Amino acid sequence: MQSKPMNPRHFISLLDLTGEEFRHLISRAIELKNHRDPDYQPLKGQVLAMIFEKSSTRTRISFEAGMSHFGGSALFLSPRDTQLGRGEPLQDSAKVISSMVDGIMLRTDKHETVTTFALHSRVPVINGLTDQQHPCQLLADMQTYFEYRGDIKGKTVTWIGDGNNMCHSYIHAATVLDFKLNIASPPGYQPLKAIVNSAGDRIRFFDTALEAAKSSDLCVTDVWASMGHEEEQKQRECAFKNYQVNTAIMDAAHKDALFMHCLPAHRDEEVSAEVIDGPQSVVFDEAENRLHAQKALLEFLMCKK
Ligand code: CP
Ligand code: NVA
């Protein structure tokens, strides 16, 4: 008989959280950031397995450092070097890996890989990015907004660019934290209808980036070609050429609007160098907050109370 019971709490999507839980994670992340106590090791001896089908700088380092701060450790697993890459069934892999570790983080191409893993895992599964969602990034983005401006409830956020995994997680965040989301995406690159519909009238679509940015409190964008779409780069450069966040866009937003980007960024493609390196940009706080927000998440999911 396996020693761990089933039914752990997973973090696959922001919709797995209530508004209260999301706000708790943000305030805990801010607390952990401001009062680092090296003796606080709530995950002492625990192990997080991290499966990366795609590249990563921030996600890998923040989870690895976070586990280490909490007295635990993290294993980096690439499908290339494990039996996953040779076709071992996901459910078998999930059963085996979860019998040996205390949490599993996955970055995969297909969203279904993470949901299947979660179905068969005895330990919490965390979505570290899929083709459909990037919920961990939103924990950090929202922490950053709260630090600079307070609660985001009722505010207006503008998404400019690809209706991709980040855009979908912004739609989910708008639902859970109750803010308005303006979206300007080129035809053919809109977010998935099912995700948009789940957010009700909080989401509004605009034909131009300039219209979408009007009266906004936060402007956000992401690369035009996400991982897995690199071969479409040229075609996307044409489709997205009117969707750059530049000074004209930031001038249309509120005077104190912030700019965010999950990084890595391409200067003078989706965002002008002037904006990303300018005074309204908080991208490096946002990147650092991946560490603090995920420590709050790891504590929330893995700490045995
Ligand atoms: N923003 C983000 O997830 O970065 P990495 O791809 O470097 O992990
Ligand atoms: N949308 C981007 C985010 C990278 C962190 C991608 O999926 O490549």
Side-chain angles (χ1 to χ4, degrees):
M1 201 174 81
Q2 290 203 286
S3 57
K4 290 178 193 138
M6 281 301 268
N7 294 328
R9 178 99 194 237
H10 302 299
F11 182 64
I12 310 295
S13 159
L14 290 171
L15 299 182
D16 294 338
L17 298 175
T18 63
E20 196 182 337
E21 286 170 337
F22 200 156
R23 287 185 170 84
H24 159 76
L25 287 176
I26 293 169
S27 58
R28 186 66 185 132
I30 294 171
E31 202 170 33
L32 288 165
K33 178 177 181 176
N34 294 334
H35 305 284
R36 169 115 194 260
D37 173 4
D39 294 329
Y40 180 63
Q41 302 208 322
L43 302 183
K44 198 168 174 152
Q46 293 204 41
V47 179
L48 178 74
M50 307 189 300
I51 298 169
F52 282 95
E53 285 181 3
K54 293 174 166 178
S55 307
S56 169
T57 297
R58 281 144 286 267
T59 305
R60 176 177 177 180
I61 297 171
S62 52
F63 272 112
E64 211 163 314
M67 283 303 293
S68 177
H69 290 179
F70 276 169
S73 58
L75 292 175
F76 174 81
L77 303 169
S78 127
R80 215 183 33 212
D81 313 315
T82 59
Q83 299 290 4
L84 275 165
R86 296 183 59 251
E88 182 164 10
L90 287 177
Q91 41 274 61
D92 292 359
S93 303
K95 280 181 196 156
V96 171
I97 297 172
S98 71
S99 72
M100 299 183 190
V101 302
D102 305 280
I104 304 173
M105 192 243 50
L106 296 104
R107 167 167 286 196
T108 64
D109 185 29
K110 293 194 188 74
H111 190 70
E112 292 67 37
T113 305
V114 175
T115 52
T116 306
F117 233 85
L119 268 180
H120 299 279
S121 170
R122 291 176 174 271
V123 298
V125 166
I126 298 171
N127 177 357
L129 181 146
T130 65
D131 59 346
Q132 203 192 86
Q133 297 178 41
H134 195 3
C136 287
Q137 183 66 51
L138 261 289
L139 297 181
D141 287 26
M142 293 300 104
Q143 178 191 340
T144 311
Y145 189 88
F146 276 56
E147 283 175 336
Y148 274 90
R149 300 284 184 259
D151 203 305
I152 200 162
K153 184 179 165 76
K155 302 283 183 186
T156 300
V157 177
T158 298
W159 176 269
I160 294 170
D162 196 11
N164 64 9
N165 45 11
M166 277 297 298
C167 178
H168 291 151
S169 286
Y170 261 94
I171 294 171
H172 286 160
T175 305
V176 182
L177 296 178
D178 197 14
F179 59 81
K180 299 187 196 82
L181 183 64
N182 295 347
I183 299 178
S185 303
Y189 296 95
Q190 307 271 329
L192 291 174
K193 277 213 166 59
I195 292 186
V196 172
N197 291 343
S198 72
D201 59 7
R202 291 183 186 87
I203 313 297
R204 292 201 302 159
F205 287 91
F206 293 82
D207 290 334
T208 66
L210 205 66
E211 281 302 314
K214 278 185 186 159
S215 307
S216 183
D217 300 292
L218 166 65
C219 293
V220 195
T221 190
D222 188 10
V223 291
W224 290 342
S226 284
M227 288 182 277
H229 295 280
E230 290 85 355
E231 75 289 353
E232 299 169 21
Q233 177 67 28
K234 283 281 159 250
Q235 169 195 332
R236 284 172 176 258
E237 277 171 22
C238 292
F240 286 85
K241 66 178 189 310
N242 296 325
Y243 293 80
Q244 184 190 73
V245 180
N246 49 36
T247 307
I249 301 293
M250 293 308 292
D251 286 348
H254 278 151
K255 237 193 177 69
D256 68 346
L258 300 174
F259 170 75
M260 291 191 199
H261 188 309
C262 63
L263 305 180
H266 297 99
R267 282 173 176 71
D268 297 326
E269 275 185 34
E270 73 272 9
V271 56
S272 68
E274 213 177 358
V275 167
I276 196 170
D277 298 318
Q280 288 168 283
S281 172
V282 291
V283 297
F284 294 109
D285 296 291
E286 184 189 355
E288 179 191 327
N289 283 340
R290 293 292 305 275
L291 170 68
H292 311 296
Q294 281 157 200
K295 282 172 74 175
L297 178 70
L298 290 166
E299 183 188 60
F300 179 73
L301 295 176
M302 287 167 65
C303 205
K304 314 239 176 347
K305 286 158 197 121

